[in-house]
Amino acid sequence: MIYAFDESGEKTRATPGASARCPHCEAEVIPKCGEIKTWHWAHRDVEDCDHWGEPETDWHRSWKHRVPPTRAEVAIERGGEQHRADITRSDGTVVELQHSSLSPEEIREREDFYGSMVWLFDIRAFSPPCEGDPRFIPKEEDGYHKFRWKHPRKHIAHTSKPTYLDMGPRVMRLKKMYTDSPCNGWWRVKPKREFTDWVLARGR
């Protein structure tokens, strides 16, 4: 987590020697302030109080730092169940950041719980071809380009909510993905700045 509650109940970032409590389970968290990883909070006695949580990477934290503290790591409770949304837009839409693989059942579970949400998958290390790559297929349909993906992350094909793929300099809006060999589909190219503006509700 990049935020925890200080003694006054305000969200605070980790700093050396600071003390705070988890905003969700109220357990004690300790600051992790090394020289390599982004400073963050960690539970002292458990790995994570939210079983949907995954080991956070600098990729997760870099996206959370783009939004105000009130819109990052937001506790959402429905039907007596609570989970920590990575990012929320001003209209309440959840932006679920996902680095590791998920089963189709886990994808459906999160989509059912959050309702209004979009996915953002980190595929920088698994990127399919883009413009300039000879494997990219420059066929266009309604603004979407066709692609083939030699080493796909097939779980992404099971999402039913709007799905975006972080490729580094670009964010791709996935329209359709087929997992036949070779994996292929359709996407729309978006500059990362445009997607970030949408998350911040400054653009479409």
Side-chain angles (χ1 to χ4, degrees):
M1 298 182 297
I2 61 173
Y3 296 109
F5 282 165
D6 61 19
E7 293 181 356
S8 64
E10 296 294 323
K11 274 189 172 181
T12 184
R13 293 185 179 181
T15 53
S19 60
R21 294 197 171 273
C22 173
H24 314 287
C25 68
E26 299 185 355
E28 182 183 6
V29 291
I30 55 177
K32 297 287 188 176
C33 303
E35 296 183 6
I36 299 177
K37 291 186 176 181
T38 304
W39 290 4
H40 62 283
W41 297 98
H43 287 77
R44 179 182 292 277
D45 300 318
V46 296
E47 185 171 335
D48 198 323
C49 60
D50 187 347
H51 70 271
W52 285 0
E54 64 175 323
E56 283 211 330
T57 64
D58 283 340
W59 176 79
H60 289 91
R61 299 183 189 112
S62 69
W63 274 103
K64 291 179 183 180
H65 283 310
R66 296 169 190 260
V67 301
T70 54
R71 304 247 304 270
E73 298 177 350
V74 178
I76 296 178
E77 184 172 355
R78 292 194 175 98
E81 185 176 358
Q82 179 175 281
H83 293 288
R84 185 174 61 246
D86 292 317
I87 292 173
T88 58
R89 295 183 72 233
S90 59
D91 62 2
T93 300
V94 169
V95 181
E96 182 75 345
L97 307 174
Q98 194 61 38
H99 174 77
S100 60
S101 296
L102 291 174
S103 69
E105 292 75 20
E106 290 172 318
I107 288 174
R108 286 193 293 269
E109 185 181 18
R110 297 191 192 192
E111 291 185 342
D112 289 344
F113 179 81
Y114 288 129
S116 178
M117 67 165 290
V118 302
W119 293 96
L120 179 62
F121 288 94
D122 178 16
I123 66 161
R124 293 168 300 163
F126 307 91
S127 294
C130 197
E131 297 100 326
D133 189 304
R135 297 169 297 161
F136 183 76
I137 306 170
K139 181 178 179 181
E140 185 173 341
E141 181 179 292
D142 297 329
Y144 287 87
H145 295 273
K146 193 173 183 180
F147 67 87
R148 287 179 184 164
W149 196 348
K150 185 175 181 180
H151 301 292
R153 308 201 77 189
K154 293 186 177 181
H155 62 282
I156 296 174
H158 294 279
T159 62
S160 64
K161 300 294 185 178
T163 300
Y164 296 85
L165 312 177
D166 186 352
M167 294 180 66
R170 304 177 184 85
V171 171
M172 319 306 275
R173 169 67 160 92
L174 189 66
K175 178 182 181 182
K176 188 65 178 179
M177 178 174 163
Y178 304 96
T179 56
D180 298 337
S181 183
C183 173
N184 65 92
W186 295 86
W187 65 19
R188 176 176 287 159
V189 181
K190 281 183 174 290
K192 184 167 285 188
R193 179 73 262 170
E194 181 180 334
F195 179 78
T196 302
D197 285 349
W198 177 83
V199 171
L200 293 170
R202 292 202 303 264
R204 294 183 178 180

